[in-house]
Amino acid sequence: MSNQPQTLAKQPHIIVIGGGFGGLNVVKALQDAPVQITLIDRHNYHLFRPLLYQVAMAGLSPADIAAPLRVIFKRHQNVRTILADVTDIDAEQRQVILASGERLAYDLLVVATGAVYDYFGHASWAHHAPSLETIESALEIRRRVLSAYEAAELEPEPAARQSWMTFVIIGGGPTGVELAGAIGEMANRTLHENFRQIDPADTKILLIEALDRLLIAFPSDLSDKAHQALEKLGVTVRTNTKVIEIAEQHITVQTGDQLEKIAAHTMMWAAGVKANALGQVLQQRAGADLDRKGRVKVLPNLTLPNHPEIFAIGDLTYFEQDSQPLAGLAPVAIQQGQHVAKQILRHLSGQPLQQFRYWDKGIMATIGRASAVANIKNIHLSGYIAWLAWLFIHVIQLIGFRNRLSVLSQWVWNYFTYARSVRLIVDRRADATDDQSKVEPSKVQSAKEL
Amino acid sequence: MSNQPQTLAKQPHIIVIGGGFGGLNVVKALQDAPVQITLIDRHNYHLFRPLLYQVAMAGLSPADIAAPLRVIFKRHQNVRTILADVTDIDAEQRQVILASGERLAYDLLVVATGAVYDYFGHASWAHHAPSLETIESALEIRRRVLSAYEAAELEPEPAARQSWMTFVIIGGGPTGVELAGAIGEMANRTLHENFRQIDPADTKILLIEALDRLLIAFPSDLSDKAHQALEKLGVTVRTNTKVIEIAEQHITVQTGDQLEKIAAHTMMWAAGVKANALGQVLQQRAGADLDRKGRVKVLPNLTLPNHPEIFAIGDLTYFEQDSQPLAGLAPVAIQQGQHVAKQILRHLSGQPLQQFRYWDKGIMATIGRASAVANIKNIHLSGYIAWLAWLFIHVIQLIGFRNRLSVLSQWVWNYFTYARSVRLIVDRRADATDDQSKVEPSKVQSAKEL
């Protein structure tokens, strides 16, 4: 589509892997620079992950928090977007290798593929307790939570009914707190009067945390505030409690020496994370050092040792500032992306690279509908005012005017009506039809289980 | 949850199977009547099917056109909603049998399970050319259409590229016309400037119709208008053309004696329909007569012969008025649902049942963004004015104030921006994660094909 292939071919080619907060900000800052950029992502959209829990909890639709990458960069002819999996990096030849086998040559490479939830070696747990990672997994969590109430409504036996109405969230970080708060709100307000055999207010919500308090990244007074706000929503917070086993219909936890088996069908995992598998590729192919979570240790200027042409940023990386590792937060990835873009321009004009320094604007987490905690430059906020700040900051950071408008108007709507308008149970199977003649044994089984 | 089980148990129990236009209107009209109602559906929502093509074409989110059944009837304690598959009906014992094996006794039964697309015995075609039936299938069509452009962008070979950019829609009724028009608009406007290697304006859209004109239910001047409007959007309309074969990467069609093989990856089926499988159950269990499309022939009062306690309505049924069969339209199902509710009240008060008569308010179909055809009491409308009428009528018929507001505002937005904000390719697999280490062979293969 370009009219000047000659000129363009001479410009340095930058490949950015990952269209999350880090990668997106690299490309944005370079979209008018004299470089050719190829952005590779396995999804065709940028996802605003801080609001993904609202998709899982039926408050927002996926499209409200996602923006197609092609639309974001549509006016910038120097940006090419590719929907593909990167399986390998040939650091010698400076090539990125796609799942199709295709090789793309780069002059400079930015790896920003993020982190995934870590089940600490228990592969089967992922099946029973999905984590909030992608749109797909958010829709799966939504399906399980809503289906559990449908199953409870049909279950005559009280103990079995209660196990359908028991939700266990593992991990007391911001995501776990947000999920637990949202279920509490749904049980107490949204589902009120919706059922005939069950009372959704009987819902049991357990939030399991291995450490001695929730939200360990926050000051302890805000942990206490969050704890109290959750209890008010009917959430039972279990600190100092470890998960021993997760199965189809129960979870076993340990507090001190006490083992406890809890009957539940719906579990969610929001515990530890590890780096995306491209970290290992960088270790094997570019000699990068990894920490125990598989995160790539980068130099202060965000390049890899011995590879000044490879940058790595965001949750994929391990970065120490003032002898403290930076947390895996969106603002860190955003600032690192902006920093890398600036370094690329310096590199091209022959200037030396600068060190990255994170500017901490604060952290926040929300608990249900009108409560949050925030630590902003050591000012501790909680309750309604923190929630308003949380809402404001998240809405303005969304990509695209339409998304901002849509999320804000739905929030206002949900706030006053307690509605969760996106309460659709969408089948996992793409070939789900309304033809009852096509009912297969597996479907019948699932209807029974349900 | 009821305080008066004694009284309630004495009220007649009405089971309604199917929460589409027909079933929903039965329950709505009876929600304050002295009866107990159980509404059974295999989904937890009522779906506004006339706008389902917009979900497939990335203009709307599923939640915009669906409303949870529990929310619709939340304030009506005499309505119970069950999410389940009905597998059998025992007309002797007056019981409905669920997939779980559970039996529910009824005094009166309303069967309103609708129709499904018919592939005329070619089961494999359903895989290659999905039809617009459920939210799941709409999302699958969206995924295929958007993925085809992504594959074309990566395909260096011109013929292969063109086959990715060729879309074939089979069936020139309202749904086929709406799908073809929406793809035409997307190709010419929405995707403009989004790609670097391909020009979406090169998209080839074929609309295949076996009869000699589109929209056979409309007067022929409106068929011509629709035909012209589609050609303007870049759609090639092929009337008098039959489908001979549908395979993974091509479709073979026949016009007169001419066979033609068209290379294409993305096909959509919008041809004939047949009754849902509960029609056969009614034949076997209640002696109902079926037509060749499996539709249940009902008496003029909408009950089954010899079974005055069983009503059947909507697309599931065959009903003649003035010696002409009624078409499978939403307004027919709605009016039949309202009629049945009235007859149930008459039956309970000992009055004789009345015959149903359809009051034809007109039919309409939309073609792209600002064009439609409508035949309202023999007044033929087309173009912009018909489109405004179409828009108005569809928005006010949506269930729920929030859905109306959301659809209308998105339409205004899309109208002025040509945007299709819901352009998300969501994976079919629920366990899709961002962990590149979990890439399976099948996924790699599909990425390659893609």
Side-chain angles (χ1 to χ4, degrees), chain A residues 403-423:
Chain A
N403 282 0
R404 281 191 283 267
L405 198 70
S406 174
V407 168
L408 194 60
S409 59
Q410 293 206 52
W411 233 301
V412 171
W413 179 259
N414 294 350
Y415 182 83
F416 286 107
T417 63
Y418 291 95
R420 293 188 170 263
S421 320
V422 197
R423 275 169 50 194

Side-chain angles (χ1 to χ4, degrees), chain B residues 15 62 68 72 84 95 107 110 123 180 187 192 196 218 221 243 245 280 314 320 328 364 370 373 376 401-402 443:
Chain B
I15 292 183
I72 300 174
Q95 289 177 339
D107 296 306
V110 184
H192 182 59
R196 301 294 173 256
F218 288 70
D221 61 316
V243 174
E245 188 207 1
Q280 288 164 43
E320 274 187 15
M364 47 202 346
V373 292
I376 298 165
F401 177 74
R402 181 210 162 259
K443 178 78 187 257

Side-chain angles (χ1 to χ4, degrees), chain B residues 120-254:
Chain B
F120 308 117
H122 301 278
S124 71
W125 292 9
H127 179 69
H128 303 307
S131 51
L132 197 63
E133 204 142 73
T134 56
I135 287 181
E136 288 82 359
S137 61
L139 294 176
E140 174 63 11
I141 289 174
R142 181 201 292 177
R143 194 187 68 76
R144 292 190 188 194
V145 171
L146 297 178
S147 299
Y149 282 105
E150 297 292 336
E153 173 82 350
L154 285 175
E155 176 60 59
E157 207 272 300
R161 194 190 297 154
Q162 185 62 62
S163 80
W164 279 116
M165 292 172 69
T166 300
F167 299 89
V168 184
I169 298 115
I170 302 116
T175 300
V177 166
E178 280 158 6
L179 284 172
I183 297 179
E185 206 184 277
M186 198 193 292
N188 289 300
R189 304 301 303 253
T190 310
L191 298 182
H192 182 59
E193 289 192 324
N194 273 225
F195 294 87
R196 301 294 173 256
Q197 315 300 324
I198 60 168
D199 184 352
D202 295 337
T203 301
K204 234 168 99 181
I205 307 159
L206 290 167
L207 179 58
I208 309 290
E209 168 58 53
L211 300 176
D212 65 351
R213 63 181 175 93
L214 299 175
L215 300 176
I216 196 73
F218 288 70
S220 65
D221 61 316
L222 291 180
S223 293
D224 294 345
K225 287 264 168 55
H227 192 129
Q228 290 156 20
L230 283 171
E231 300 269 1
K232 244 189 234 170
L233 287 168
V235 177
T236 305
V237 178
R238 299 282 299 271
T239 51
N240 290 312
T241 299
K242 278 189 294 193
V243 174
I244 303 298
E245 188 207 1
I246 304 180
E248 179 96 29
Q249 300 190 14
H250 72 267
I251 177 169
T252 307
V253 298
Q254 182 173 16

Side-chain angles (χ1 to χ4, degrees), chain B residues 405-426:
Chain B
L405 197 70
S406 174
V407 168
L408 194 61
S409 60
Q410 292 206 54
W411 232 302
V412 170
W413 179 259
N414 294 349
Y415 182 83
F416 287 107
T417 62
Y418 291 95
R420 293 187 170 264
S421 320
V422 196
R423 276 168 51 195
L424 313 181
I425 301 177
V426 175

Side-chain angles (χ1 to χ4, degrees), chain A residues 70 86 136 150 427 436, chain B residues 70 86 136 150 427 436:
Chain A
R70 294 198 182 285
V86 171
E136 288 82 357
E150 297 292 337
D427 205 289
Q436 298 226 359
Chain B
R70 294 197 182 284
V86 172
E136 288 82 359
E150 297 292 336
D427 204 288
Q436 299 226 1

Side-chain angles (χ1 to χ4, degrees), chain A residues 44-48 62-72 399-400 403, chain B residues 421 423-424:
Chain A
N44 75 328
Y45 49 80
H46 167 74
L47 180 64
F48 191 76
D64 294 326
I65 61 161
L69 291 168
R70 294 198 182 285
V71 174
I72 299 174
I399 300 284
N403 282 0
Chain B
S421 320
R423 276 168 51 195
L424 313 181

Side-chain angles (χ1 to χ4, degrees), chain B residues 35-114:
Chain B
V35 292
Q36 285 295 305
I37 304 167
T38 299
L39 172 61
I40 308 174
D41 198 289
R42 58 199 320 183
H43 300 293
N44 75 328
Y45 48 81
H46 167 73
L47 181 63
F48 192 76
R49 294 249 311 239
L51 293 184
L52 190 55
Y53 82 98
Q54 283 283 348
V55 173
M57 292 300 136
L60 293 173
S61 285
D64 294 326
I65 61 160
L69 291 169
R70 294 197 182 284
V71 175
I72 300 174
F73 298 113
K74 126 186 189 172
R75 307 233 182 272
H76 303 279
Q77 288 289 325
N78 69 328
V79 180
R80 177 169 70 134
T81 308
I82 288 181
L83 175 70
D85 283 340
V86 172
T87 50
D88 203 358
I89 294 167
D90 186 337
E92 288 293 308
Q93 298 197 49
R94 303 199 176 177
Q95 289 177 339
V96 162
I97 298 150
L98 306 183
S100 62
E102 202 182 335
R103 289 170 164 260
L104 302 175
Y106 60 82
D107 296 306
L108 296 172
L109 176 66
V110 184
V111 188
T113 48

